[in-house]
Amino acid sequence: MKAWTVNDVMTTAVVTVTPDTPYRDVVDLLVRNRFSAVPVVDGFQRVTGVVSEADLLRKIEYAGAEVPRLFDGRRRRGERVKASARTAADLMSTPPVTVPASTSIAAAARVMDGEGVKRLPVVDDLGRLVGIVSRGDLLKVHLRPDDEILADVRAGVVRAVMADEIESVHITVDDGVVTFTGRVGRWSTTEIAGRLTRQVAGVVDVVDQLEFDYDDSNILGTGIAYGIA
């Protein structure tokens, strides 16, 4: 079963700016391409920062304002400084929030949510830019055909935890919803199968209609024994 990563959905033709890119050029680039942010790279293609629409809007927000007031908080002073910025180096937010290409789809989604960003620069082991992934890119995983999802569930789930019960288990996939029917020996088999299936790329939900012969739900350490605790 293939574990989908950022590398599978990211855009590799990335538009970037350099630290000395003028303010107006950054604005033009974002507006023309309908981007929400753009990475700033140095001469070695290493990501040094990110300029977002919010960074650019400081010039409008603080238009005509004086230099940072002493009673402003540190964050507020930083925002007011950006209002007088002329280049990407003065505008960009640092350190940049990036992810390696090997990052799982789920982990990338958590980073986006936690950091409140819509796009993540993707870097190699040396910090060099190799792509960019957006929220929309992460959602591509749910465009996988049902037959591909079914093949992954059979190969990565059924054969892994139901090898001796394949003939008595039936699986269907409809718009990403996986339904199990049939009979297995233990309750724990249904539980493990459900958890593993939810990790398959593109699965929207799991409907467990499996019956079982023996209820082992009260056995301590079931999850640990199967490595899913």
Side-chain angles (χ1 to χ4, degrees), residues 3 33 69 104-105 112 115 126 134 136 143 154 176 182 193 202 215 218 221:
N33 292 282
R69 294 189 285 260
S104 71
I105 298 295
M112 283 188 184
E115 297 292 339
L126 298 178
S134 67
L143 297 179
R154 284 175 173 165
D215 185 355
N218 294 322

Side-chain angles (χ1 to χ4, degrees), residues 146-208:
D146 287 342
D147 58 347
E148 288 186 11
I149 296 174
L150 179 59
D152 276 358
V153 173
R154 284 175 173 165
V157 179
V158 176
R159 293 177 184 173
V161 300
M162 302 176 179
D164 298 329
E165 300 159 316
I166 291 179
E167 299 301 324
S168 60
V169 174
H170 182 63
I171 315 162
T172 61
V173 182
D174 184 16
D175 285 339
V177 178
V178 181
T179 301
F180 287 95
T181 56
R183 195 172 192 87
V184 295
R186 297 172 178 268
W187 169 86
S188 58
T189 300
T190 71
E191 175 71 5
I192 296 167
R195 293 192 187 188
L196 291 178
T197 300
R198 286 184 173 86
Q199 297 175 27
V200 174
V203 169
V204 175
D205 196 9
V206 177
V207 178
D208 180 3

Side-chain angles (χ1 to χ4, degrees), residues 136-149:
D137 291 329
L138 297 184
L139 290 173
K140 290 177 184 177
V141 69
H142 286 295
L143 297 179
R144 296 187 71 200
D146 287 342
D147 58 347
E148 288 186 11
I149 296 174

Side-chain angles (χ1 to χ4, degrees), residues 43-177:
F44 298 97
Q45 286 299 297
R46 291 176 300 201
V47 183
T48 58
V50 173
V51 177
S52 67
E53 292 172 323
D55 295 323
L56 295 169
L57 284 172
R58 301 303 176 219
K59 196 171 288 292
I60 296 175
E61 181 180 356
Y62 294 102
E66 299 295 334
V67 295
R69 294 189 285 260
L70 292 178
F71 55 81
D72 281 344
R74 178 179 299 178
R75 177 180 176 183
R76 181 67 66 179
R77 289 198 299 271
E79 291 175 350
R80 290 164 66 86
V81 166
K82 288 185 179 182
S84 60
R86 296 184 180 182
T87 65
D90 299 322
L91 287 163
M92 67 184 184
S93 297
T94 58
V97 180
T98 63
V99 292
S102 59
T103 304
S104 71
I105 298 295
R110 288 193 291 269
V111 171
M112 283 188 184
D113 183 56
E115 297 292 339
V117 297
K118 299 178 181 179
R119 299 158 64 88
L120 289 170
V122 184
V123 298
D124 63 14
D125 294 339
L126 298 178
R128 297 173 301 193
L129 186 69
V130 294
I132 197 159
V133 64
S134 67
R135 291 175 177 175
D137 291 329
L138 297 184
L139 290 173
K140 290 177 184 177
V141 69
H142 286 295
L143 297 179
R144 296 187 71 200
D146 287 342
D147 58 347
E148 288 186 11
I149 296 174
L150 179 59
D152 276 358
V153 173
R154 284 175 173 165
V157 179
V158 176
R159 293 177 184 173
V161 300
M162 302 176 179
D164 298 329
E165 300 159 316
I166 291 179
E167 299 301 324
S168 60
V169 174
H170 182 63
I171 315 162
T172 61
V173 182
D174 184 16
D175 285 339
V177 178

